């Protein structure tokens, strides 16, 4: 299988190249040259154990590794999940299910992508003999999951910028209490956007980038996307046939990565699936799916679901590529238009496989209360956005993207309890290690030259 850029369908890359590059040379995102079909028996037959399904799925795309190597990568990536089912599907009501994606080491769904990315980096380092330095910015969950995927690994140092005082205490502890000497958490005086700007500046410094063999872990990484498609297939195969005539997946959404992965699984043969894009008050995608107009707001507005506080849905470009039938020039034109004006109107934009909702902070609190009252089940503030509007007639799968203990103060506000998780409790006693630096690209560059692997 080869991969093309969303902005230029002519030049293609291998899986190894697409993974190592992150972003395509022309600034586009990598998509598979063509979407393979899933084996119909896989979709309609008996549910397979998660690792077996993951191997079967990834082999379709990663043709650079042998099947045996793919098996080892999968085994390594998911053996430390604490639930036997990896991504258990819990039934709350006759036709209402929750897909629990928070049993990985950082307790959020991002572990599915970043555990695999960690194993793939390790494999790349061994294969090429070159060490790498990973640089990223986080508003909380991505950094925690990246650190969980890379702590202690040979040949890679990880530098993570985060806005000081603007992520939760537990999210900070997940990055600062690893005890691993290859992890460098860097609190920055400023916002998440400031952190991201610094990361971009350093990635644009080509001399530095080559010198430290800079690598990225952001949500546009191809391997993260592929890893996330698998749990949609897995969930579908566990729903009894009499209920799976039409299945609606409800996806708490920020960057559009998770829901795009589901849409891809549907294109590959998961039948009769629809998707509900659940946003918080930062509702650029809700507005898009209700009006066909994609329009950025002047700034993001902090909410109770911070990992969905975005104003640019970076993975949307992949969906756009399919919307314009793989016309790279057209994608390029639209992305350029968005970059310069912050707005685009998409004519004929009424994809019938999508609908959307928006939740204010008050809605989030109310939804946490409602789910607790009706089903004796506690959802985190992101997952709570998924319960904004449930169609009682349809079989519904709400994706639970984080464990409630990660956001215990909001849960307490809603239902008066502080959910706990042993993984987080253990962090409370540990020593925090972090490196305070000025929000200045030169200072961070100098720090990385001193502490990076060369
Ligand atoms: C990252 C994140 C999201 C948003 O996922 P996208 O792929 O960016 O749409 C939702 N919930 C949680 C808990 C997250 O960490």
């Amino acid at each position: 299988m080869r991969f093309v850029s969303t902005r230029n369908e002519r030049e293609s890359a291998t899986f190894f190249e697409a993974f190592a590059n992150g972003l395509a040379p022309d600034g586009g995102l990598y998509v598979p040259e063509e979407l393979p079909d899933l084996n119909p028996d896989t979709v309609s037959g008996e549910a397979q154990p998660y690792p077996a399904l993951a191997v079967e799925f990834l082999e379709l795309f990663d043709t650079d590794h042998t099947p045996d190597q793919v098996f080892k990568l999968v085994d390594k990536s998911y053996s430390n999940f604490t639930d036997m089912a990896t991504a258990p599907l819990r039934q709350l009501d006759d036709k209402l299910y929750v897909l629990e994606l928070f049993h990985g080491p950082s307790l959020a769904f991002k572990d599915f992508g970043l555990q695999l990315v960690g194993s793939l980096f390790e494999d790349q380092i061994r294969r090429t003999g070159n060490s790498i330095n990973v640089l990223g910015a986080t508003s909380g969950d991505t950094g925690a999951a990246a650190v969980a995927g890379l702590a202690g690994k040979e040949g890679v140092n990880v530098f993570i910028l985060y806005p000081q005082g603007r992520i939760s205490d537990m999210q900070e502890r997940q990055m600062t209490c690893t005890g691993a000497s290859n992890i460098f958490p860097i609190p920055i005086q400023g916002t998440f956007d400031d952190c991201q700007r610094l990361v971009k500046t350093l990635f644009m410094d080509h001399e530095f980038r080559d010198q430290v063999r800079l690598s990225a872990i952001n949500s546009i990484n191809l391997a993260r996307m592929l890893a996330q498609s698998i749990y949609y297939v897995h969930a579908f195969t566990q729903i009894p046939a009499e209920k799976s005539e039409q299945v609606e997946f409800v996806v708490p959404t920020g960057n559009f990565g998770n829901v795009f992965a589901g849409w891809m699984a549907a294109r590959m043969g998961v039948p009769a699936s629809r998707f509900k894009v659940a946003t918080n008050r930062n509702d650029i995608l809700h507005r898009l799916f209700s009006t066909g107009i994609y329009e950025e707001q002047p700034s993001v507005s902090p909410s109770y679901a911070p990992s969905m506080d975005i104003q640019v849905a970076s993975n949307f470009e992949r969906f756009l590529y399919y919307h314009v039938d793989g016309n790279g020039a057209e994608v390029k034109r639209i992305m350029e238009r968005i970059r310069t004006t912050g707005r685009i109107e998409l004519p004929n934009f009424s994809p019938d496989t999508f609908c959307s909702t928006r939740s204010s902070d008050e809605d989030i609190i109310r939804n946490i209360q409602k789910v607790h009252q009706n089903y004796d089940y506690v959802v985190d503030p992101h997952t709570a956005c998924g319960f904004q509007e449930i169609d009682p007639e349809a079989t519904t799968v709400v994706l639970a993207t984080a464990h409630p203990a990660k956001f215990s103060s909001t849960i307490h506000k809603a239902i008066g309890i502080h959910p706990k998780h042993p993984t987080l409790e253990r962090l409370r006693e540990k020593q925090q290690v972090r490196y305070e630096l000025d929000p200045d690209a030169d200072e961070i560059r100098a720090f990385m030259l001193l502490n990076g692997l060369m």
Side-chain angles (χ1 to χ4, degrees):
M1 169 71 72
R2 295 187 69 87
F3 300 86
V4 293
S5 163
T6 47
R7 299 188 193 181
N8 174 355
E9 64 278 18
R10 276 180 292 278
E11 265 173 61
S12 68
T14 64
F15 179 82
F16 283 163
E17 288 163 347
F19 175 74
N21 291 348
L23 206 62
D26 60 8
L29 312 190
Y30 285 110
V31 286
E33 197 165 44
E34 59 196 293
L35 280 183
D37 289 328
L38 289 165
N39 182 339
D41 290 342
T42 303
V43 183
S44 55
E46 212 170 299
Q48 303 184 61
Y50 197 88
L53 177 67
V55 171
E56 183 181 322
F57 186 93
L58 291 172
E59 272 175 10
L60 296 172
F61 296 95
D62 177 0
T63 46
D64 292 354
H65 285 108
T66 65
D68 188 45
Q69 288 169 327
V70 174
F71 173 81
K72 289 200 176 106
L73 285 164
V74 164
D75 185 50
K76 203 168 205 169
S77 304
Y78 299 119
S79 58
N80 60 353
F81 279 50
T82 53
D83 192 291
M84 283 295 287
T86 313
L89 187 68
R90 242 174 254 303
Q91 190 166 17
L92 295 188
D93 210 343
D94 181 36
K95 289 179 143 187
L96 179 60
Y97 297 84
V98 172
L99 179 59
E100 291 185 351
L101 301 175
F102 51 69
H103 296 287
S106 82
L107 312 183
F109 85 91
K110 292 191 172 72
D111 287 325
F112 281 86
L114 285 163
Q115 285 291 311
L116 182 68
V117 165
S119 307
L120 283 167
F121 270 141
E122 200 172 30
D123 166 81
Q124 176 190 313
I125 292 160
R126 201 171 323 115
R127 218 165 5 86
T128 61
N130 288 330
S131 56
I132 58 171
N133 292 286
V134 166
L135 172 65
T138 184
S139 55
D141 283 343
T142 303
V147 164
L150 292 165
K153 296 221 150 134
E154 290 279 333
V156 51
N157 278 2
V158 183
F159 300 83
I160 296 280
L161 274 47
Y162 62 93
Q164 181 152 37
R166 293 185 193 225
I167 68 173
S168 80
D169 176 49
M170 278 302 165
Q171 286 176 322
E172 183 170 34
R173 284 182 173 275
Q174 286 185 307
M175 293 188 277
T176 58
C177 298
T178 59
S181 60
N182 69 329
I183 303 295
F184 298 84
I186 303 175
I188 293 286
Q189 292 286 352
T191 64
F192 170 64
D193 288 338
D194 297 326
C195 297
Q196 214 160 20
R197 219 170 356 253
L198 288 163
V199 167
K200 270 195 191 142
T201 305
L202 291 169
F203 267 94
M204 281 186 314
D205 178 346
H206 289 215
E207 193 186 329
F208 174 70
R209 193 173 72 189
D210 295 345
Q211 192 179 6
V212 300
R213 281 181 300 272
L214 211 52
S215 295
I217 37 105
N218 45 19
S219 77
I220 48 117
N221 188 293
L222 175 75
R224 282 181 71 175
M225 181 188 79
L226 296 176
Q228 289 171 186
S229 292
I230 298 162
Y231 47 71
Y232 289 89
V233 187
H234 193 246
F236 184 85
T237 59
Q238 290 176 79
I239 298 171
E242 71 274 13
K243 287 184 191 159
S244 63
E245 225 164 84
Q246 174 94 86
V247 177
E248 180 160 283
F249 289 98
V250 186
V251 189
T253 295
N255 263 320
F256 205 70
N258 198 0
V259 67
F260 177 79
W263 180 82
M264 221 176 66
R267 284 274 287 229
M268 291 173 64
V270 175
S273 354
R274 284 197 322 217
F275 299 91
K276 186 178 273 172
V277 174
T279 75
N280 64 20
R281 65 212 264 180
N282 296 288
D283 60 353
I284 182 164
L285 291 170
H286 174 54
R287 285 180 285 114
L288 170 73
F289 285 109
S290 15
T291 64
I293 298 171
Y294 182 96
E295 186 166 27
E296 291 170 7
Q297 299 283 298
S299 64
V300 294
S301 154
S303 80
Y304 286 157
S307 299
M308 289 154 52
D309 289 346
I310 58 101
Q311 58 171 334
V312 184
S314 39
N315 267 295
F316 183 66
E317 180 167 343
R318 287 199 165 103
F319 182 67
L320 203 55
Y321 172 80
Y322 290 98
H323 179 67
V324 299
D325 296 322
N327 181 339
E330 180 66 2
V331 173
K332 195 169 167 174
R333 192 189 66 80
I334 295 175
M335 292 313 294
E336 185 56 22
R337 185 73 189 276
I338 293 176
R339 197 181 65 78
T340 50
T341 67
R343 183 180 194 277
I344 189 88
E345 199 167 332
L346 297 170
N348 312 321
F349 189 76
S350 55
D352 51 7
T353 40
F354 282 97
C355 60
S356 65
T357 60
R358 166 195 197 276
S359 300
S360 65
D361 275 358
E362 296 72 40
D363 292 328
I364 289 175
I365 297 289
R366 209 165 354 185
N367 293 345
I368 294 171
Q369 293 167 338
K370 189 174 70 185
V371 175
H372 187 237
Q373 224 158 45
N374 294 352
Y375 311 114
D376 196 21
Y377 186 80
V378 180
V379 287
D380 97 287
H382 303 80
T383 307
C385 295
F387 284 88
Q388 184 68 13
E389 225 177 74
I390 300 287
D391 175 359
E393 301 301 316
T395 299
T396 301
V397 178
V398 179
L399 274 64
T401 51
H403 192 281
K406 286 193 90 167
F407 303 94
S408 107
S409 68
T410 307
I411 305 295
H412 186 260
K413 206 169 284 168
I415 52 177
I417 58 172
H418 279 294
K420 290 201 161 84
H421 191 285
T423 301
L424 297 177
E425 292 311 305
R426 274 195 294 274
L427 294 175
R428 286 185 197 276
E429 286 105 61
K430 296 220 170 115
Q431 181 80 28
Q432 295 203 58
V433 177
R434 63 193 154 200
Y435 304 84
E436 270 174 56
L437 299 179
D438 285 336
D440 173 65
D442 290 335
E443 182 162 330
I444 295 162
R445 188 188 289 107
F447 181 81
M448 287 186 68
L449 286 170
L450 200 63
N451 294 288
L453 290 171
M454 302 296 162

